[in-house]
Amino acid sequence: MRWNTFRASFKGLTFRERTLLGFLMLPAHLLLHVEGREHLRSIQRPFIVACNHNNAVESLLVPAALMFLLQGEKISFVIDWMFGKVPLLGSLIELIDPVYVYRKQSTWRRLEMKRPCQPQRSVLEECSRRLSLGRCVGIFPEGVRNHDSAKLLKGRRGIGHMALRNGVSVLPVGIDYPLRVKKGRIPFIGKTIVRIGAPMHFPLRIAEYRAASARTGRAGLCRSTFLAACTTYDIMLEIARLCGKCYDFPSPSTDNFESPNVTTQEDLCRV
């Protein structure tokens, strides 16, 4: 793989964006080994990238590497707002045109004072807007960094709603570390294996989801939520296979979504 971001194929980026991407590709070249790059070429645009989440470093290097492999095409990852406010780091994150989540409070008082008001659109609405414009979106369905070397956290239903509502494919990506296998722990930084899986399509489920969403009343809402949960479950199983962890959660059951005590609304996953 050539890592020169100033070649002609990247002419769609500004000079500043090329410089920032080139800066990020220096550590990415040393740390990342990417498998399954052919799936990036075969998937129809727009699409959703779904990754497991181990540490903070990968949340910057992996999106940058995917952007590089797509020859400068941006993937708007869902990211906590405070990372965009950190000097230098914020400039690097802006490179991927992120979708910010504003609910989490920062432990740094000065940074917390800069937290913007809640946006008019929800994260799901903002991601859907970008997908409708032909832009790709990236999600960490676990919602938080997961330092467990063997198990994934439960995937949040937001990614299922997003895929079915917008009728787009999902590109599963597993992030793994040789050190996880050798020593049973997730490193803060180290050699990283990025496995890109085959695109996942849900045409029948999309049609049923849209039909259920068009119905009024709780029955339609419960059905669409169940379909989103099933889609999330399938995505998490594939991510588990790609990253080498297990997903120890039962498959969704319709009984779980028909109880009047079950909440069928869920915000999109945070990082």
Side-chain angles (χ1 to χ4, degrees):
M1 183 189 303
R2 295 176 58 194
W3 299 93
N4 182 9
T5 58
F6 289 89
R7 55 186 172 168
S9 57
F10 286 87
K11 61 183 179 181
L13 299 179
T14 65
F15 178 80
R16 178 176 179 273
E17 289 174 332
R18 292 188 192 186
T19 303
L20 290 174
L21 183 57
F23 177 77
L24 283 174
M25 293 317 297
L26 290 175
H29 175 63
L30 297 174
L31 296 175
L32 300 188
H33 171 71
V34 181
E35 301 174 2
R37 284 171 281 174
E38 66 277 6
H39 297 307
L40 285 171
R41 295 189 292 269
S42 65
I43 190 170
Q44 184 177 356
R45 272 64 167 174
F47 58 87
I48 300 170
V49 176
C51 311
N52 62 305
H53 198 10
N54 303 281
N55 61 41
V57 175
E58 69 189 23
S59 61
L60 189 59
L61 294 187
V62 172
L66 293 175
M67 181 178 172
F68 175 86
L69 292 170
L70 291 170
Q71 298 186 343
E73 183 178 350
K74 296 180 180 181
I75 301 175
S76 297
F77 270 79
V78 178
I79 295 177
D80 275 329
W81 67 272
M82 68 275 296
F83 295 109
K85 298 295 183 181
V86 178
L88 181 60
L89 178 62
S91 297
L92 295 174
I93 289 177
E94 284 296 327
L95 176 66
I96 62 173
D97 189 24
V99 175
Y100 287 120
V101 180
Y102 295 98
R103 294 185 309 173
K104 183 183 289 186
Q105 293 185 350
S106 174
T107 55
W108 297 353
R109 183 178 177 183
R110 289 188 178 181
L111 198 57
E112 176 61 23
M113 293 174 63
K114 297 180 181 180
R115 179 156 61 120
C117 298
Q118 289 282 357
Q120 293 182 347
R121 297 189 186 93
S122 68
V123 176
L124 178 56
E125 290 171 338
E126 180 59 30
C127 289
S128 295
R129 185 185 70 84
R130 297 192 186 205
L131 289 168
S132 69
L133 295 173
R135 308 268 293 278
C136 298
V137 170
I139 298 288
F140 298 102
E142 292 175 282
V144 296
R145 292 187 291 274
N146 175 17
H147 301 299
D148 193 314
S149 63
K151 299 179 181 180
L152 292 177
L153 299 176
K154 188 174 183 179
R156 303 193 179 188
R157 294 195 301 263
I159 189 172
H161 282 291
M162 188 191 303
L164 299 181
R165 175 186 293 188
N166 294 282
V168 297
S169 300
V170 175
L171 189 71
V173 176
I175 304 173
D176 197 6
Y177 296 86
L179 197 63
R180 180 191 68 84
V181 179
K182 293 179 181 178
K183 297 189 177 181
R185 63 180 179 86
I186 301 294
F188 171 73
I189 187 170
K191 198 69 178 178
T192 308
I193 303 171
V194 180
R195 300 188 182 98
I196 303 173
M200 302 180 70
H201 312 283
F202 309 96
L204 297 179
R205 204 174 281 170
I206 288 169
E208 188 176 356
Y209 179 91
R210 289 177 173 174
S213 299
R215 293 161 56 187
T216 58
R218 184 175 175 82
L221 186 58
C222 288
R223 186 61 183 172
S224 61
T225 303
F226 169 70
L227 294 169
C230 291
T231 302
T232 300
Y233 180 78
D234 292 343
I235 293 169
M236 295 305 296
L237 283 182
E238 181 62 9
I239 291 176
R241 185 187 70 82
L242 292 168
C243 74
K245 296 185 182 183
C246 62
Y247 191 62
D248 287 343
F249 296 93
S251 59
S253 168
T254 53
D255 296 337
N256 297 334
F257 295 92
E258 293 176 353
S259 169
N261 297 322
V262 173
T263 301
T264 53
Q265 301 266 352
E266 182 176 357
D267 289 333
L268 249 181
C269 31
R270 303 186 300 275
V271 292

